[in-house]
Amino acid sequence: MELVPEPPENDLERALRLAATDPAARPAFYETLLGATVYAIGPPKPEGDAAGVENLKAGDTISMITWERTSGEPIVPFFTSCEALSRTLSEPATFVALPARAFFEITAGAWLVLNPNLGHAKEFSPDEVTALLAGGLPGAPTPRVVQEDTTVMIGQPVERPEVLLAMLARFFGTRPAVRSARLALMHDPSRGEAPTLLLGIEADASEEDVDRLMHAIGAVAADAAPEGQAVDLVRVDGAGSFLSSVEPFYHKASG
């Protein structure tokens, strides 16, 4: 029997596959997803009709199939391509193609799953979707403004979080704006007894671009940090920063 090769990956499928095992690849996956077209399952076609893409006009009502999770809760499946969608179907159906952002807006409040029953799948909670639509990323940091002079203690962690540092270094290699990154341990008595990891980021970017960068770094750190370990982020300015005595664990390659 002749084996039929699977179709080549598109950009979104490649990003999903990499993000499945590498936290450093997840910000790029979310960015690719928000710029992509996705496909949902429409209502079954009448008997004898072939499956196909449903052409929608302004004002049309969209009907999408909802599946059921093992817990009994409804979940809306969607797919990276028509080919991926068709591999999950046992009978002809319509395909609804629309921009991912529009799909998220239409299904707001629902649990979603991308490419279910295929090699790599990703569930989205309503909170994750809300964060994506707001321009953030799941796990992104929450800004904090220091309202008064605060004394903090800076040191080095007894055990370096090597997995976290490796993930971040790989991610920084994809972001040319990052010049260097330093790691320290910070104890702020006003925030409690447990010290936090402190990442100092030196970057060539505007404030707006740095905000987006920090969101992406926070998303990587949330996935790769040691369990139960909080991570703070701060932008530093090289030699003039309070972290200047800390040796960088990442330096942008010259040239």
Side-chain angles (χ1 to χ4, degrees):
M1 182 177 67
E2 184 179 355
L3 296 177
V4 179
E6 291 189 1
E9 293 178 319
N10 61 29
D11 290 343
L12 180 55
E13 288 160 348
R14 185 178 305 108
L16 174 62
R17 173 174 54 81
L18 295 174
T21 56
D22 185 0
R26 287 169 192 166
F29 160 67
Y30 290 119
E31 292 164 2
T32 303
L33 173 60
L34 287 175
T37 296
V38 297
Y39 300 80
I41 306 172
K45 296 287 284 185
E47 188 173 351
D49 285 3
V53 176
E54 185 75 10
N55 293 315
L56 301 172
K57 301 184 294 295
D60 282 354
T61 299
I62 300 176
S63 297
M64 288 181 282
I65 295 298
T66 298
W67 289 356
E68 194 173 273
R69 305 172 76 190
T70 54
S71 61
E73 295 174 302
I75 191 166
V76 182
F78 68 113
F79 299 85
T80 53
S81 64
C82 282
E83 292 79 12
L85 186 154
S86 64
R87 295 207 303 272
T88 70
L89 297 180
S90 58
E91 59 184 21
T94 54
F95 305 170
V96 181
L98 66 169
R101 185 176 291 277
F103 173 77
F104 287 147
E105 291 170 349
I106 291 169
T107 58
W111 277 85
L112 312 173
V113 58
L114 178 63
N115 281 9
N117 303 327
L118 298 178
H120 300 289
K122 169 71 175 83
E123 282 197 4
F124 292 83
S125 71
D127 287 345
E128 284 181 285
V129 172
T130 298
L132 287 171
L133 289 176
L137 293 173
T142 301
R144 183 173 76 97
V145 177
V146 178
Q147 301 292 344
E148 56 186 26
D149 291 347
T150 303
T151 300
V152 300
M153 292 176 283
I154 303 292
Q156 282 292 302
V158 176
E159 295 185 9
R160 282 168 57 90
E162 299 296 348
V163 171
L164 170 63
L165 299 186
M167 293 289 184
L168 287 170
R170 191 156 61 252
F171 172 71
F172 294 152
T174 69
R175 304 290 165 134
V178 178
R179 281 199 285 166
S180 70
R182 295 167 165 83
L183 175 76
L185 194 67
M186 179 179 73
H187 181 211
D188 179 354
S190 68
R191 297 178 62 191
E193 297 180 359
T196 62
L197 293 175
L198 178 65
L199 286 171
I201 310 299
E202 185 181 9
D204 296 318
S206 66
E207 287 299 326
E208 183 178 350
D209 289 338
V210 165
D211 283 345
R212 286 196 292 267
L213 177 63
M214 290 298 196
H215 274 74
I217 294 170
V220 175
D223 280 332
E227 185 175 358
Q229 178 67 70
V231 181
D232 284 318
L233 307 178
V234 63
R235 184 179 187 179
V236 300
D237 57 1
S241 78
F242 70 98
L243 286 176
S244 58
S245 61
V246 178
E247 189 69 21
F249 69 88
Y250 172 81
H251 251 310
K252 179 180 177 180
S254 58

